[in-house]
Amino acid sequence: ENVCLLSQIPVLRSSLARQVEARNLAYQSKPWSNYLPKFQDDLIAIGAITLEYGHLEAALLRLFATATDMRRRHVSAFFHRLPNNHREDAMKELTTTSELPSELKEHVRYFIKCFHVCAENRHAVMHARTGGEYRDVARREHGLILTKYSKAGTLLQTSARLKDLHRIAEEIHS
């Protein structure tokens, strides 16, 4: 099955960029919520992380189906029930036991490595709650403080700058 990334075709990429820009301009003047009114862009970036991660999971499912020569609907019957570490382990095992070409195996291993990083970043953002606002006067920045507890019960806090949220969404998208 050939994969064509439409975003890599220059004419489509510029057309899509214009459409997204026009849509963004239409929404910018209409705040949609009183919840965290200073952080509307941050909330949109968090939503983008969620949606892009959904696309990344779908890509992993397609890759798994292709590598195992199974139909996607059959893979879907169990794939969504597996935690990420099991998905990653299964894909890594395929690169050592299957008859995939060695070049493809390298690409699969790289994809799994990148998937792991993106999943960790998404997990850190999605399982946090707002813990207030931070300000860095020297950098002229402010942003959300994201708070969550580790499995060991340790309180974890991080300042989530808008540019970092954008970077996470972009890395998952690419």
Side-chain angles (χ1 to χ4, degrees):
E1 180 175 294
N2 292 330
V3 176
C4 177
L5 300 175
L6 297 178
S7 62
Q8 292 183 352
I9 301 171
V11 174
L12 288 174
R13 188 173 55 232
S14 63
S15 173
L16 290 170
R18 283 192 303 275
Q19 290 173 16
V20 168
E21 184 178 337
R23 186 181 61 217
N24 288 343
L25 289 174
Y27 288 120
Q28 283 178 353
S29 62
K30 302 175 192 172
W32 55 268
S33 173
N34 289 329
Y35 179 71
L36 298 171
K38 291 194 279 186
F39 299 104
Q40 298 291 304
D41 290 340
D42 303 73
L43 296 175
I44 291 169
I46 290 170
I49 290 169
T50 301
L51 294 174
E52 290 303 330
Y53 183 75
H55 290 293
L56 185 65
E57 275 188 317
L60 182 63
L61 184 144
R62 288 190 306 272
L63 183 60
F64 187 87
T66 301
T68 58
D69 207 21
M70 294 175 68
R71 292 187 175 161
R72 287 185 202 163
R73 64 188 166 116
H74 295 151
V75 172
S76 292
F78 63 86
F79 187 82
H80 297 292
R81 295 180 176 128
L82 296 174
N84 281 338
N85 60 323
H86 293 178
R87 294 172 181 176
E88 293 169 17
D89 290 346
M91 291 300 295
K92 287 176 189 173
E93 188 170 328
L94 283 172
T95 64
T96 60
T97 61
S98 71
E99 297 176 9
L100 295 174
S102 59
E103 185 178 339
L104 181 56
K105 288 179 180 182
E106 285 302 314
H107 289 300
V108 169
R109 282 192 277 274
Y110 182 72
F111 180 89
I112 295 304
K113 178 182 173 185
C114 294
F115 177 84
H116 180 79
V117 170
C118 291
E120 290 292 314
N121 286 337
R122 175 248 174 225
H123 181 82
V125 172
M126 291 302 110
H127 294 282
R129 66 179 189 276
T130 57
E133 175 184 4
Y134 84 92
R135 290 188 175 278
D136 186 332
V137 177
R139 292 183 180 174
R140 296 187 208 171
E141 290 181 335
H142 73 97
L144 291 170
I145 295 174
L146 297 180
T147 304
K148 71 177 208 159
Y149 284 91
S150 69
K151 289 182 180 177
T154 305
L155 178 64
L156 305 172
Q157 290 185 317
T158 187
S159 53
R161 297 183 304 230
L162 181 58
K163 68 181 181 180
D164 293 332
L165 295 173
H166 281 184
R167 179 185 50 77
I168 291 169
E170 288 295 324
E171 286 175 357
I172 292 172
H173 177 73
S174 62

